Amino acid sequence: MKATGIVRRIDDLGRVVVPKEIRRILRIREGDPLEIYTGNNGEIVLKKYSPVGEMSQIATEFAETASSILGGTVAVSDTDTFVASAGKLKKQFCAERIDKELDHVIQSKGRFFTEKKLVVPILAQGDAIGSITILPGESKSLGEAEMKAAQIGAEFIAKQLYS
């Protein structure tokens, strides 16, 4: 673990404030779920929880299936990183952090759609928890079929989390 030099006290309700600098670096926002567990040497570890990351096997199977049918690249992300990808540009997404543009689309809970890129947020119980990104195959443009596939994937992954 990396030492930060920041010390915080526990208040009478057992709360600790996570410093703003650390929240900004780790993209932790108000309301984000944190996983709490203990380390081997008596540490208390806080880890940003990713429900989409927990579903990486289903996300991978969706990305592979959609990519093979649509002929493009399909990537699934949580609110921090890409958890699954398939298609010709798969390596471009593999375990990469999402950029500010994608983060903005996810947080706005709106779709982004051009002929060369499609992003549909994954919404679970009204919260934005990730996204489906589709890029077209060579010499192709994105259309209604890709939009429907992304919507189905986003809703399917969201439903799997709460079933």
Side-chain angles (χ1 to χ4, degrees), residues 146-157:
E146 290 81 5
M147 175 61 84
K148 290 292 183 192
Q151 288 174 314
I152 290 167
E155 288 189 32
F156 179 76
I157 290 171

Side-chain angles (χ1 to χ4, degrees), residues 51-127:
V52 176
E54 299 288 320
M55 308 272 310
S56 64
Q57 183 64 35
I58 289 173
T60 299
E61 290 173 9
F62 166 76
E64 289 172 352
T65 303
S67 176
S68 69
I69 292 170
L70 299 171
T73 300
V74 178
V76 181
S77 77
D78 61 16
T79 56
D80 287 315
T81 59
F82 288 97
V83 298
S85 60
K88 192 170 187 176
L89 301 175
K90 173 183 179 174
K91 290 183 181 179
Q92 175 181 323
F93 295 99
C94 198
E96 288 292 318
R97 285 186 67 110
I98 67 170
D99 60 20
K100 289 185 186 219
E101 178 185 313
L102 181 55
D103 182 53
H104 177 73
V105 172
I106 293 170
Q107 295 308 317
S108 72
K109 301 178 185 177
R111 298 181 197 131
F112 176 84
F113 183 55
T114 67
E115 290 183 354
K116 297 297 178 191
K117 187 175 187 179
L118 165 63
V119 178
V120 173
I122 301 171
L123 304 175
Q125 297 181 339
D127 295 327

